Amino acid sequence: SNRKFPDSEKLCFTPELLEQATAHPVAMHRAELLSGFGKILDLGCAAGGDLTRFALAGSQVIGLERDELPAALAEHNLTQLGLSGEVINAEFPCELPDFDVLFVDPQRREKGRGPSGSKRRWDPAEFPPRPKDLRPLLNCKAWAIKWGPGLDLDYQTMTAEGALLEGMSRDDYELQVVSWNGQVREAL
């Protein structure tokens, strides 16, 4: 975990949550992009890897996590780093607190067999939270959705009926493909 987070000796993750957490340099890049827009809601914050990076970049943060253990770890990790923030243990869709910025890392893995005990989903319509549930939330000041770089990132696909960015024009969003250490890590 030292390669993933420079402050890893203070953080707690399960092996699976650590594997799925975004590496510090990539998460800080995103956190700096979103800082200055207001309070960030990390929808599905898991153990708080991204949540803590948003707070380190100076943003007010709220994490929402459906599973009790990751929610407790996210709260612990904020506290261990001396960062303020709130973690809510609830399942989306639910009543959300006030926020200015939305960050979502849809669950692209499902429990199953494989080296890490999970397998990738390839149909974005099946990612929890589903695109149809996220679209109404995109009317905030800023938003970022972590997307698998192996998914079809074509404009027609991303804005088609039922897709995450349905009906948006090319001027309504920016697509970033982020690499680190010579590997493509995410589309955002």
Side-chain angles (χ1 to χ4, degrees):
S1 65
N2 286 339
R3 286 194 50 171
K4 204 165 245 197
F5 296 102
D7 45 14
S8 63
E9 71 282 348
K10 296 179 182 178
L11 303 175
C12 290
F13 290 89
T14 66
E16 184 179 15
L17 291 170
L18 180 60
E19 178 188 334
Q20 294 175 13
T22 306
H24 172 82
V26 177
M28 283 306 296
H29 165 75
R30 186 182 327 110
E32 289 164 3
L33 285 174
L34 296 176
S35 71
F37 287 101
K39 188 182 294 185
I40 297 178
L41 172 62
D42 184 344
L43 187 62
C45 69
D50 287 303
L51 191 69
T52 57
R53 304 307 104 170
F54 290 132
L56 285 170
S59 295
Q60 290 182 313
V61 297
I62 303 169
L64 183 96
E65 174 54 47
R66 71 178 183 180
D67 295 325
E68 199 171 312
L69 176 60
L73 292 173
E75 197 168 298
H76 169 84
N77 290 336
L78 282 169
T79 301
Q80 282 298 108
L81 296 178
L83 301 169
S84 61
E86 179 182 0
V87 178
I88 300 167
N89 184 207
E91 185 167 1
F92 179 78
C94 61
E95 187 174 329
L96 297 174
D98 290 335
F99 64 94
D100 302 300
V101 180
L102 175 69
F103 172 69
V104 183
D105 181 357
Q107 191 175 353
R108 295 180 309 280
R109 296 178 187 198
E110 61 183 321
K111 298 283 184 209
R113 294 187 198 116
S116 66
S118 62
K119 62 181 184 175
R120 291 205 184 274
R121 291 183 171 114
W122 293 101
D123 181 1
E126 299 302 317
F127 295 171
R130 295 176 302 182
K132 72 177 191 154
D133 296 325
L134 288 177
R135 271 195 306 275
L137 304 179
L138 302 184
N139 63 355
C140 52
K141 287 183 185 177
W143 50 268
I145 302 188
K146 184 175 172 180
W147 213 241
L151 298 172
D152 192 345
L153 302 174
D154 174 78
Y155 172 75
Q156 304 319 82
T157 303
M158 295 291 291
T159 59
E161 185 177 337
L164 179 64
L165 306 179
E166 177 181 350
M168 289 190 181
S169 76
R170 293 179 196 270
D171 295 331
D172 291 333
Y173 70 95
E174 173 182 295
L175 175 65
Q176 288 190 2
V177 178
V178 181
S179 67
W180 178 60
N181 280 349
Q183 292 183 326
V184 174
R185 298 300 206 161
E186 67 184 32
L188 186 68

